[in-house]
Amino acid sequence: MPKKTTIYDIAKALNITAATVSRALNDSPRVKKATKELILETAKQMNYEQNKLAQALKSGKSYNVGVIVPYINSNFFASVIRGIEEELYPKGYHVIICQTHDQENLEIENINSLLNAQVDGVLMSISNSNIETNPAFKNLVRKHVPLIFFDRKKDIKGVSSVTIDDFKGAYMATQHLIEQGCKRIAHLSNDQSLEIFQNRFLGYKQAILDNGFEFDCNLVVETTSKVESGSLSTKKLLSLNNPPDGIFASCDFSALGAIKEIKAHGLSIPDDISVIGFSNEPFSQFMELSITSIDQSPMEMGRIAANVFLDEVNSNGNVKSEKHIILAPELIERKSSIKELLLVD
Amino acid sequence: MPKKTTIYDIAKALNITAATVSRALNDSPRVKKATKELILETAKQMNYEQNKLAQALKSGKSYNVGVIVPYINSNFFASVIRGIEEELYPKGYHVIICQTHDQENLEIENINSLLNAQVDGVLMSISNSNIETNPAFKNLVRKHVPLIFFDRKKDIKGVSSVTIDDFKGAYMATQHLIEQGCKRIAHLSNDQSLEIFQNRFLGYKQAILDNGFEFDCNLVVETTSKVESGSLSTKKLLSLNNPPDGIFASCDFSALGAIKEIKAHGLSIPDDISVIGFSNEPFSQFMELSITSIDQSPMEMGRIAANVFLDEVNSNGNVKSEKHIILAPELIERKSSIKELLLVD
DNA sequence: CTGTTAGCGCCTTCAC
DNA sequence: GTGAAGGCGCTAACAG
């Protein structure tokens, strides 16, 4: 086991003090150029590498940032993470990724792990709707660890957030279906205790009302972010006396489930039923019957969240005003909802 | 900023020494039961939490393990990571995830970051085919940081690995196409400097030869793991004088590209051309035209890799024999390759 | 400009 | 059983 060389080793070799070595290594202006160069030189020769742990212990900073997401294997979250990484790596931060699998206990464990790792901040998209009552979470807040929500947020005092305008996205999606001629539009909703899903529901409802349609609560079915769940809910919708001719799903996965179910019933898309999803996952584009969806510019969301974090860290708790940044959604039209292809020209 | 309570605070409150507190907290047998309980009690009351950083500094262990993968947004890698997490979390380790985006420089940066974080081990699936010549990588080996390869491995002395039998998987895939009646089977290959892709190519070739077909190198086209690349290569194949009637893609993404391209040419799948992928990504199942693929049991791969790591750490460098564990692939038959649906019954 | 000293929070001999 | 003391590697305050 080759012992690691420390600044003391370098100091000894050069007959100076560790303090000077430390200063030189940190490029302090109070070191003679000659000695500095000498130190840097010998440091390299001796294969010196800074022990970040010791530095962290000393400074109280770890230069680690935790990112907690429900799943890492969705393009949306993976892209947000990518955006975060791109902003934070150049600043010397390292990104620790944790996934909750939408399980409350795992979310708690993750928070604890991150606290143990002494992270300098946490960027998260919550799964647990009762998060604020949890001890682990309270710890996070009590310790003044900068916390930023993205996408799945909760309104908590002092916590900044970056989201898209889910209400608007949902409104656009519903409006789009109406413009395609749909008269009875159903909504595959999701956990209403999470703001994003609540807003998607509200946007949907508003669009329905604004267009002079009647809001029918039988057309709103709760689902999860799973394909199977989308199928199941759609099955219910199709068994109604007066089934829908359009479906706005709160995520692409449930939209996929809906499509499978509709086909299984021998109905055609978009002619019998138009479908639109949310998130613009790549598969929605790959599908033979490509899925219309709402893009959430995840990379940008990640970048912005990272910068909000950096602002908080660098202001040392001075600028403690929370920020709430809301990005604009974008409608991506594809086959699952466009009926008038034949009418073109 | 509420200062964190340390073992000294507890010691002071109880009029004893920090040493005793430390011992009690670590459940040392050399502490009177009464004092131990008292200490534990007050620790809880004072909201004491161990500073892992200090402990890590002292012990030289960080209880952090790094996982490096090309991408996190593929189901395969996400599942391997999940498997790793499941084994390591209960042992007190935390998993730090890094992605390389198949870029050599990022792979290097990630290794350096992980070394800085003083990780106790690295589990990785390599992107950089020249990895062993790189300084960062040499560092890893020189420092005796346990290193385990999974899936994308390289034969390096002293480094254990967990993979599936790619040769066999490829052989099975090709054999399957032959059994479906394909006579001219093409292969969308991938970076041949990585063992897994080399083995997939070799398995394909062997199956071709074993069945009495002639190996035609014009039917082997290099691709990347991207959908577009699969389309592009397929375009080339379709423009041959004697185009293939079956395609074995080295990954599901290029298989998807192939399918898109084949359809764009107005050909039918599987009747004109059968297609089979590799990895059993969920979308291969979701597709309207579901894709036949090879399953790699990623969760299990992750679990095993984690356990190989644990063995290495716990043996303190004694048992320095490398392990090479090879899992069995499984053929998942779906629509993109099964022609005789009409013949059933 | 450089050295001295002390401490971040924890653990671990060595004594008693 | 418990206390005292030193050190993991680094940095920062205070001297000079």
Side-chain angles (χ1 to χ4, degrees), chain B residues 261-277:
Chain B
E261 189 66 24
I262 293 168
K263 299 210 162 183
H265 280 247
L267 297 169
S268 114
I269 301 171
D271 296 324
D272 294 323
I273 304 182
S274 290
V275 177
I276 182 167

Side-chain angles (χ1 to χ4, degrees), chain B residues 118-186:
Chain B
Q118 315 284 113
V119 291
D120 295 341
V122 173
L123 312 188
M124 75 185 294
S125 200
I126 61 175
S127 308
N128 180 350
S129 48
N130 297 313
I131 187 88
E132 68 264 56
T133 64
N134 189 279
F137 186 79
K138 283 183 180 170
N139 260 344
L140 202 62
V141 177
R142 189 172 51 74
K143 290 186 176 178
H144 300 297
V145 177
L147 173 66
I148 286 99
F149 287 140
F150 59 86
D151 193 49
R152 300 186 177 195
K153 62 168 280 226
K154 201 133 208 211
D155 254 329
I156 293 181
K157 200 167 69 67
V159 182
S160 294
S161 65
V162 184
T163 53
I164 66 151
D165 191 334
D166 289 286
F167 181 93
K168 188 172 172 195
Y171 194 100
M172 287 163 66
T174 311
Q175 185 73 36
H176 169 75
L177 289 179
I178 292 171
E179 284 165 9
Q180 296 308 309
C182 297
K183 307 288 184 201
R184 277 179 63 73
I185 299 172

